């Protein structure tokens, strides 16, 4: 009986996140209330508060759910024991672009992040949370780059922090560009070439330490 109750709770949580994703996409994050999410999910606001503290918490859980499938490969990139951190990073980034192209849910979350995530006072700590998320991404990319440097896969004098910021900006810009008009080109088909261009950038003299 207890197991069934736990399964039901997980189903309700997933139902809330599915609804939040749809409503955030339709209305934008700032214009969406917990009441809107509850109505779309067919649950009470109390059910939402059982699983989440507030709207920002719902937003973060929605984001985490889409990032989770790639987490294992991301952690492998960051491990000092990984023999091919650069190869793993290349694979991870190609998968990211291909999933953006092929998966409707993943693409919807990407569009919410790029175009429907307003940092208004109504959104509470969303801006701070996204700043922390961006900083963590930069740090994780930099760790992977340092591992690749230590493995002799990248120049020994690469400025890993500056390179991480450039990589992050490239990926954000590429996704934002494609999401605005997905029919313009096949992102999945071009994913390998796009990432190879990014990897080539890491050998630029402009990214070396001074």
């Amino acid at each position: 009986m207890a197991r069934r109750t736990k399964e039901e709770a997980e189903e309700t949580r997933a139902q809330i996140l599915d609804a939040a994703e749809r409503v955030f996409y339709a209305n934008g994050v700032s214009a969406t209330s917990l009441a809107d999410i509850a109505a779309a999910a067919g649950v009470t606001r109390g059910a939402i508060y059982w699983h989440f503290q507030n709207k920002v918490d719902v937003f973060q859980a929605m984001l985490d759910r889409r990032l989770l499938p790639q987490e294992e490969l991301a952690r492998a990139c960051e491990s000092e024991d990984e023999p091919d951190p650069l190869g793993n990073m290349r694979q991870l980034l190609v998968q990211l672009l291909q999933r953006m192209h092929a998966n409707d849910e993943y693409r919807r979350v990407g569009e919410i992040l790029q175009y429907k995530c307003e940092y208004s006072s109504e959104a509470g700590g969303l801006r701070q949370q996204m700043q922390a998320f961006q900083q963590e991404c930069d740090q994780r990319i930099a760790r992977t780059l340092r591992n690749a440097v230590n493995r002799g896969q990248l120049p020994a004098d690469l400025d890993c922090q500056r390179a991480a910021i450039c990589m992050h900006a490239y990926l954000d810009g590429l996704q934002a560009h494609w999401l605005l008009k997905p029919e313009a080109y096949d992102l999945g088909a071009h994913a390998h070439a796009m990432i190879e261009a990014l990897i080539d950038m890491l050998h630029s003299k402009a990214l070396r330490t001074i």
Side-chain angles (χ1 to χ4, degrees), residues 157-159 162 205-210:
D157 58 349
L158 178 68
D159 187 326
R162 191 192 311 161
K205 291 182 179 179
L207 291 178
R208 308 295 177 84
T209 54
I210 299 174

Side-chain angles (χ1 to χ4, degrees), residues 6 11 31 80 132 137 183:
K6 183 178 180 181
E11 288 174 4
E80 293 181 358
C137 286
E183 67 276 12

Side-chain angles (χ1 to χ4, degrees), residues 25 40 43 68-69 72 77 91 112 114 158 168 170 182 208 210:
Y25 182 78
V43 301
L68 191 59
E72 184 176 350
C77 296
Q91 181 183 348
I112 291 168
Q114 293 288 350
L158 178 68
H168 197 167
Y170 175 98
R208 308 295 177 84
I210 299 174

Side-chain angles (χ1 to χ4, degrees), residues 49-63:
Y49 282 119
W50 177 262
H51 293 278
F52 306 101
Q53 294 181 14
N54 49 42
K55 185 170 71 173
V56 174
D57 198 22
V58 174
F59 179 89
Q60 186 63 53
M62 177 201 71
L63 179 60

Side-chain angles (χ1 to χ4, degrees), residues 140-209:
R140 297 183 73 175
I141 295 170
R143 278 198 295 271
T144 298
L145 294 178
R146 280 192 287 270
N147 287 337
V149 169
N150 292 336
R151 294 285 178 179
Q153 296 178 313
L154 289 173
D157 58 349
L158 178 68
D159 187 326
C160 293
Q161 193 60 45
R162 191 192 311 161
I165 293 170
C166 289
M167 289 186 71
H168 197 167
Y170 175 98
L171 291 165
D172 270 357
L174 178 59
Q175 291 177 81
H177 179 272
W178 181 77
L179 284 166
L180 199 59
K181 194 176 182 182
E183 67 276 12
Y185 59 94
D186 187 333
L187 183 63
H190 290 282
H192 285 278
M194 296 290 194
I195 297 307
E196 284 306 313
L198 178 58
I199 299 298
D200 286 347
M201 180 189 71
L202 298 174
H203 295 273
S204 168
K205 291 182 179 179
L207 291 178
R208 308 295 177 84
T209 54

Side-chain angles (χ1 to χ4, degrees), residues 104-115:
D104 289 341
E105 290 81 11
Y106 197 86
R107 183 163 63 248
R108 187 158 54 228
V109 170
E111 192 163 338
I112 291 168
L113 278 170
Q114 293 288 350
Y115 295 114

Side-chain angles (χ1 to χ4, degrees), residues 55-142:
K55 185 170 71 173
V56 174
D57 198 22
V58 174
F59 179 89
Q60 186 63 53
M62 177 201 71
L63 179 60
D64 290 343
R65 185 172 64 159
R66 296 305 175 204
L67 294 176
L68 191 59
Q70 295 172 291
E71 184 62 23
E72 184 176 350
L73 185 55
R75 290 192 182 280
C77 296
E78 299 171 61
S79 171
E80 293 181 358
D81 298 325
E82 170 56 47
D84 186 17
L86 188 63
N88 274 356
M89 183 174 68
R90 179 185 283 107
Q91 181 183 348
L92 174 69
L93 297 180
V94 168
Q95 285 182 6
L96 184 151
L97 297 184
Q98 289 178 337
R99 184 173 281 123
M100 179 72 70
H101 176 261
N103 187 293
D104 289 341
E105 290 81 11
Y106 197 86
R107 183 163 63 248
R108 187 158 54 228
V109 170
E111 192 163 338
I112 291 168
L113 278 170
Q114 293 288 350
Y115 295 114
K116 304 192 177 187
C117 185
E118 311 89 342
Y119 299 134
S120 67
S121 58
E122 294 177 331
L126 182 58
R127 181 184 179 88
Q128 290 76 14
Q129 193 155 329
M130 290 307 300
Q131 286 173 334
F133 173 72
Q134 295 277 24
Q135 184 176 17
E136 181 186 3
C137 286
D138 289 345
Q139 291 171 348
R140 297 183 73 175
I141 295 170

